[in-house]
Amino acid sequence: MDETFEGASMRRTFHGETSSTPTHTRTADTRSTHTRTGTMHSESESGSEYVPRFDDYGDEHSVVPLRRMRSSQEALIPNDESDMDVITGWLYNGPLQRAKYEDFSTIDWIYESTKARHYKNDLRVQTHVGIKGRLQLLADSSKSWIVLLAVGVTMGLIATCISVSSQWLIDVKGGYCRTGFYLNRRFCCWNTDTVCVDWVTWSELFRVHWHWLDWLLQFIVFVFDAILFAGISTFLVTEYAPYAAGQGIAEIKTIMSGFMMRQFLGVRTLGIKCVGVVLSVASGLSLGKEGTMVHVACCCGNIYSRVFRKIKHNEVKRRELLSAASAAGISVAFGAPIAGVLFSLEQVSYYFPAKTMWRSLFCATAAAVTLKLLNPFRNGKLVSFQVTYDRTWDLFELWFFVAIGVICGIIGMLQNRLTLYLMEYRQHSVLKNFARGEVLVVALATACVSYMSVYLRADMVTLVSNLFTECTGQETDGLCSRGDRTGNVFSLLVTSVLRVLMTSVACGLAVPAGMFTPSMATGASIGRAFGMVVQTLYENHPTWRLFGACRPDVPCITPGVYALVGAASMLASTTRMTVTVVVIMFELTDALIYVLPIMLAVTVSKSVADAFGKDGYFESIIHLNGYPFLSMDQEYVLHGTSDELMVRVSEMTVVEANGETLESVLKLLRESSYSGFPVVKSKSSLVLVGYISRSDMAMVAERARVSSVYSNASPCCFSRGNIELPMAHAQMLDFRPWVDATPITISHGTDVNLVAEMFRELGVRYVLVVHHGALLGIITKKDIVRTVRLHSRNQARSEMPYVPVWLSSMVRQTHEPVQHRLPVFSSESRGL
């Protein structure tokens, strides 16, 4: 501890900060600094060897010439002995350094947070006093706001392009605009109240007058375009950006928890995601574009954060910005900036400090304002299915809303389980080798089935908008037809069943799309059918006591409200979101009076779905792919102690503090596959000294191996305590800057629930089990995740003995490690 503090104090002196270190120590450091400066020029001119140098951001790509740096021990050596090659890097680089995190690894939250604090402290020390210093601090703090503003504006532009282009491709399947081929049907017939003569169907273009031939030609074009769009989308995904497939929210939740998935938020993924979602939605697959906006927003946040070094090289800071950026995705998807903030807090974020809420609101507002200024629908609405209601509801309708919540809760649970069952089946069957062919077959089947029903043939955004809209006295066709109400109810129920099946099949395809809109469409169909039944009962039996509160001169039942409640209930049962769903529906309707019915239905729906399992759709995807994710929402009651969970020291590979050579280190790296190694004083005493990760050790050892300064016999130093200096003309390889001298340790016999809380709350990657300073074993995050999942599975079986075997088999979880999994395009999450 004293040695570490001394090193930190000298580091502050080197940067020019006033230190409380004694005068003779500062003098020695100053002399050492001058020695380093003089040596640097001479060795640079002679073309000396290079060794790794890590700056305050942990950038392992930067190197500096080999310098003759004097450590605190070497300061006591007379200058005439300074020809001995000294330990490099520790004093200059600080007390602890890190190499770049490997793909599919977990970040060190404690180290990243400490690095951010050191950066802030160094900045305050180095800035000048006065206006110039304040401007420097202001410029540094404004970097995060610049990134969020750029994300918000970009998301508004992207959402506009996706909405306009997808609607145009959807309409192209039925015809084209005579006055402008680039116009969709709505804009082509903008000023037309009756028949639109400017919109030309494909049968009219070829002058087909026979009814059956007209129907056949339109059907062929509809199916051909669906297969074409779906084929292009899956080709782009499988060929150029596999990470663009699916919705991406499950992976984002995992990344927010500290998991590294490189290229998932890259430029290529962003481009393919935006283009692919337009094509997949236009193909008619039972998928939506709203859920993908979260992934797109996080991609934008990750790309813009690379501009500033402060954010680029700090994983905690970057995740704070990604949490705020995700709010912009929901903001432009539903025109709901407040719901975007709540979505970031309720669903996405793992680490959500108070300042992130303000940043999330800023980013979501910037996105909504940009979308409002662009006005893609030319009607002042942020999304096309925004509606308003002029009628209120009565107290007796609460019972109907509760019934809708129960029905949607059960159906949403079944849809999730069927989706996961099909995803797992793809991963273990030959379908995983025919991802493109599967998409084409599903697109063909979906197009053939959808064309037979007007409710399935219409795009889901238009369908949801029509289901939400209330009927006026002048409307007598379609959903507002009183004579064909029974047929409409039957059609809506059939549509709901087919929508559940098609959504379950489509959610695992190799195309970018989400399940928000399909779930809402299913719930809205159920709710609208339920409302029409209640409306028929009231019209046929207005004197019933149940309808005693209804006034005869005012419409009592509004089926559109029932559709709204059904959509909210279905969305809540599939995603397990509550407050976010309520606020989304409120911002869609601008009707505060309907908040209570929606809240009641959402609460009932989630409660019913939770009775069959606590995990929502995204959490189930995480479990299916075996990601190391510990939910902050669930409480675990585990049994056992750390002794039962740990990997014992006899099964581990340890490193001696001062007994290793470069040759032994290289041999250890070749023969073992562990992600890190505990450092002990000796293999006989096993007194714990620290911990070093495999990536750090491999990086330093490889650089030393290719350098002519070191040899295989060069001793390696891992300890920060008193060390034996090497003999004259020997080269010591210093690993101390990369050794964590204060790892998180627990005593043997610690309750496993406390260990799980440490991993969840502190975000640590491992804890070491010790007894009176001696190492007994290690517990990693993967061990905790495996224990939690096993406990959850056993608890679910004990709490639901009445669930049929065929239903429970639909939620079998796979625990294959992500890094060993082959690329599979048939699931939403990609373990590449």
Side-chain angles (χ1 to χ4, degrees):
M1 177 64 70
D2 296 337
E3 186 68 29
T4 303
F5 179 77
E6 182 182 356
S9 300
M10 289 189 294
R11 180 169 181 258
R12 288 196 297 269
T13 305
F14 179 78
H15 285 292
E17 181 181 352
T18 304
S19 175
S20 59
T21 310
T23 306
H24 68 276
T25 305
R26 290 198 299 270
T27 305
D29 292 339
T30 305
R31 185 170 59 251
S32 177
T33 303
H34 288 299
T35 304
R36 288 194 299 271
T37 306
T39 307
M40 180 182 65
H41 293 288
S42 61
E43 295 189 359
S44 298
E45 295 172 357
S46 61
S48 61
E49 297 292 337
Y50 281 75
V51 296
R53 176 255 183 181
F54 280 70
D55 55 20
D56 291 334
Y57 302 97
D59 187 2
E60 84 284 9
H61 296 293
S62 59
V63 294
V64 295
L66 182 64
R67 305 175 183 177
R68 303 177 62 85
M69 303 181 188
R70 297 172 63 84
S71 66
S72 56
Q73 289 84 7
E74 293 167 355
L76 304 177
I77 302 176
N79 287 335
D80 55 352
E81 297 183 25
S82 62
D83 57 343
M84 175 173 47
D85 210 277
V86 298
I87 302 175
T88 60
W90 182 36
L91 171 62
Y92 187 83
N93 293 307
L96 179 62
Q97 300 298 320
R98 282 281 187 268
K100 180 184 289 187
Y101 295 106
E102 296 180 351
D103 202 7
F104 299 108
S105 63
T106 306
I107 70 171
D108 191 337
W109 285 88
I110 297 178
Y111 169 73
E112 296 292 335
S113 300
T114 303
K115 186 169 65 175
R117 289 194 298 269
H118 286 174
Y119 172 83
K120 185 178 295 185
N121 293 335
D122 292 343
L123 181 66
R124 290 176 178 175
V125 170
Q126 295 174 6
T127 52
H128 302 282
V129 180
I131 298 178
K132 184 177 180 181
R134 294 182 178 180
L135 291 177
Q136 290 178 342
L137 292 175
L138 179 62
D140 182 78
S141 61
S142 63
K143 295 177 181 178
S144 300
W145 299 101
I146 294 175
V147 171
L148 295 177
L149 179 61
V151 171
V153 174
T154 304
M155 283 306 301
L157 294 171
I158 292 177
T160 300
C161 295
I162 290 177
S163 298
V164 174
S165 56
S166 61
Q167 189 60 50
W168 178 75
L169 288 178
I170 291 172
D171 292 340
V172 161
K173 293 191 297 183
Y176 73 99
C177 184
R178 194 195 312 271
T179 57
F181 189 77
Y182 57 91
L183 295 176
N184 59 35
R185 182 166 186 171
R186 182 178 181 182
F187 289 159
C188 182
C189 307
W190 186 260
N191 296 322
T192 304
D193 297 331
T194 56
V195 179
C196 182
V197 296
D198 293 330
W199 184 258
V200 181
T201 63
W202 299 115
S203 58
E204 293 175 349
L205 176 65
F206 293 103
R207 299 182 180 180
V208 177
H209 302 290
W210 293 345
H211 177 72
W212 66 270
L213 191 58
D214 178 10
W215 183 91
L216 181 61
L217 179 60
Q218 292 293 125
F219 173 76
I220 292 175
V221 175
F222 184 87
V223 174
F224 175 79
D225 288 345
I227 297 175
L228 177 64
F229 297 155
I232 297 175
S233 178
T234 187
F235 173 78
L236 294 175
V237 170
T238 55
E239 187 70 19
Y240 299 105
Y243 278 137
Q247 192 158 259
I249 296 179
E251 286 82 2
I252 291 175
K253 287 172 65 69
T254 308
I255 291 174
M256 294 298 184
S257 69
F259 196 58
M260 297 294 298
M261 295 182 67
R262 303 197 180 279
Q263 299 183 0
F264 184 80
L265 302 175
V267 178
R268 179 181 294 183
T269 302
L270 173 63
I272 299 300
K273 190 87 172 185
C274 294
V275 176
V277 71
V278 172
L279 295 170
S280 60
V281 171
S283 67
L285 293 171
S286 186
L287 298 168
K289 62 180 182 294
E290 283 71 23
T292 60
M293 293 298 181
V294 178
H295 187 188
V296 172
C298 289
C299 287
C300 294
N302 180 67
I303 294 170
Y304 286 132
S305 65
R306 300 175 185 175
V307 177
F308 300 107
R309 190 178 180 88
K310 164 190 173 182
I311 307 172
K312 177 182 179 181
H313 295 284
N314 191 286
E315 297 297 336
V316 171
K317 290 294 182 183
R318 178 151 44 177
R319 278 158 177 77
E320 290 179 4
L321 291 185
L322 292 180
S323 297
S326 63
I330 296 297
S331 177
V332 298
F334 297 101
I338 300 177
V341 179
L342 295 175
F343 175 83
S344 176
L345 174 62
E346 183 179 6
Q347 188 63 236
V348 173
S349 298
Y350 191 86
Y351 171 68
F352 198 88
K355 61 181 179 182
T356 305
M357 180 172 291
W358 164 226
R359 292 177 176 178
S360 301
L361 181 61
F362 174 77
C363 188
T365 304
V369 170
T370 304
L371 190 63
K372 182 72 173 181
L373 293 176
L374 295 175
N375 193 15
F377 306 106
R378 296 297 184 267
N379 55 5
K381 297 181 180 180
L382 297 181
V383 291
S384 59
F385 49 82
Q386 278 185 326
V387 295
T388 56
Y389 296 111
D390 300 327
R391 305 168 187 171
T392 184
W393 55 276
D394 294 305
L395 188 62
F396 72 90
E397 293 183 275
L398 290 179
W399 298 105
F400 299 129
F401 297 146
V402 170
I404 292 176
V406 173
I407 295 173
C408 291
I410 296 175
I411 294 178
M413 178 271 301
L414 292 175
Q415 176 179 302
N416 281 358
R417 297 200 172 187
L418 180 58
T419 302
L420 296 173
Y421 175 78
L422 294 176
M423 286 183 178
E424 186 177 0
Y425 177 78
R426 288 188 182 99
Q427 293 182 356
H428 296 86
S429 66
V430 296
L431 288 177
K432 65 182 180 181
N433 301 322
F434 303 96
R436 298 177 183 175
E438 182 189 13
V439 171
L440 297 179
V441 171
V442 174
L444 172 62
T446 302
C448 293
V449 173
S450 299
Y451 196 80
M452 306 301 172
S453 172
V454 63
Y455 297 119
L456 292 175
R457 185 167 65 248
D459 65 284
M460 279 180 288
V461 173
T462 303
L463 175 64
V464 172
S465 178
N466 292 335
L467 292 175
F468 284 176
T469 304
E470 63 181 61
C471 297
T472 60
Q474 294 77 19
E475 295 177 335
T476 58
D477 298 329
L479 291 172
C480 300
S481 175
R482 299 185 59 180
D484 195 26
R485 184 173 295 170
T486 303
N488 286 331
V489 171
F490 178 78
S491 299
L492 289 174
L493 294 179
V494 173
T495 299
S496 303
V497 175
L498 294 177
R499 182 73 67 188
V500 169
L501 295 177
M502 291 190 298
T503 302
S504 301
V505 174
C507 276
L509 297 178
V511 292
M515 45 76 64
F516 283 171
T517 309
S519 298
M520 293 177 61
T522 302
S525 300
I526 296 173
R528 183 81 182 204
F530 197 97
M532 294 169 70
V533 171
V534 176
Q535 186 180 35
T536 302
L537 289 176
Y538 168 70
E539 292 175 353
N540 295 334
H541 307 280
T543 59
W544 279 7
R545 185 175 180 181
L546 179 65
F547 304 115
C550 297
R551 293 184 297 175
D553 56 335
V554 177
C556 185
I557 306 298
T558 306
V561 175
Y562 288 73
L564 182 69
V565 172
S569 302
M570 190 68 182
L571 189 58
S573 65
T574 54
T575 63
R576 300 299 199 273
M577 294 188 300
T578 53
V579 181
T580 302
V581 174
V582 174
V583 176
I584 286 176
M585 297 303 168
F586 163 66
E587 294 188 85
L588 283 176
T589 59
D590 295 330
L592 186 62
I593 193 172
Y594 292 109
V595 170
L596 181 58
I598 295 174
M599 289 177 60
L600 180 61
V602 165
T603 303
V604 172
S605 177
K606 184 181 183 301
S607 301
V608 171
D610 284 344
F612 296 90
K614 299 295 184 181
D615 292 333
Y617 176 75
F618 308 124
E619 291 78 14
S620 300
I621 293 294
I622 292 174
H623 294 167
L624 181 68
N625 289 273
Y627 292 142
F629 178 81
L630 292 174
S631 177
M632 298 290 288
D633 302 328
Q634 298 184 10
E635 296 182 0
Y636 309 112
V637 183
L638 308 176
H639 304 284
T641 62
S642 58
D643 298 344
E644 304 171 7
L645 190 61
M646 69 180 182
V647 177
R648 301 188 179 278
V649 67
S650 58
E651 305 172 10
M652 301 164 49
T653 301
V654 296
V655 177
E656 285 189 305
N658 298 298
E660 305 288 347
T661 63
L662 178 58
E663 182 179 12
S664 65
V665 169
L666 293 173
K667 180 180 179 182
L668 182 148
L669 293 172
R670 288 194 305 268
E671 296 179 352
S672 64
S673 58
Y674 299 108
S675 59
F677 306 94
V679 180
V680 296
K681 188 174 182 180
S682 65
K683 294 183 179 180
S684 58
S685 64
L686 293 177
V687 175
L688 183 64
V689 175
Y691 184 90
I692 184 170
S693 67
R694 179 187 184 88
S695 59
D696 294 334
M697 181 186 291
M699 186 271 301
V700 178
E702 182 63 24
R703 294 288 179 87
R705 186 185 65 82
V706 299
S707 173
S708 62
V709 177
Y710 302 100
S711 64
N712 289 337
S714 297
C716 300
C717 176
F718 293 88
S719 173
R720 300 188 180 213
N722 296 326
I723 63 173
E724 296 181 3
L725 292 174
M727 298 178 60
H729 308 293
Q731 311 298 330
M732 175 173 286
L733 182 59
D734 187 13
F735 284 89
R736 291 180 295 174
W738 294 272
V739 174
D740 185 0
T742 57
I744 302 296
T745 59
I746 59 175
S747 300
H748 75 101
T750 303
D751 185 71
V752 68
N753 293 282
L754 178 59
V755 179
E757 285 298 316
M758 293 176 63
F759 277 94
R760 187 164 62 173
E761 300 293 341
L762 299 180
V764 295
R765 298 187 292 178
Y766 59 87
V767 294
L768 300 173
V769 184
V770 298
H771 180 61
H772 297 306
L775 178 66
L776 297 181
I778 185 173
I779 301 175
T780 65
K781 186 175 183 180
K782 191 174 295 184
D783 299 326
I784 291 293
V785 171
R786 187 184 301 110
T787 303
V788 167
R789 289 178 182 171
L790 181 61
H791 171 268
S792 300
R793 194 160 58 245
N794 295 335
Q795 185 181 22
R797 291 174 180 174
S798 62
E799 291 179 353
M800 294 190 302
Y802 51 84
V803 176
V805 176
W806 67 270
L807 187 57
S808 62
S809 64
M810 291 170 58
V811 288
R812 293 192 306 268
Q813 306 298 335
T814 57
H815 298 284
E816 181 184 356
V818 179
Q819 59 268 29
H820 300 307
R821 180 168 297 178
L822 295 175
V824 178
F825 300 100
S826 57
S827 67
E828 176 170 332
S829 303
R830 299 296 181 267
L832 298 182

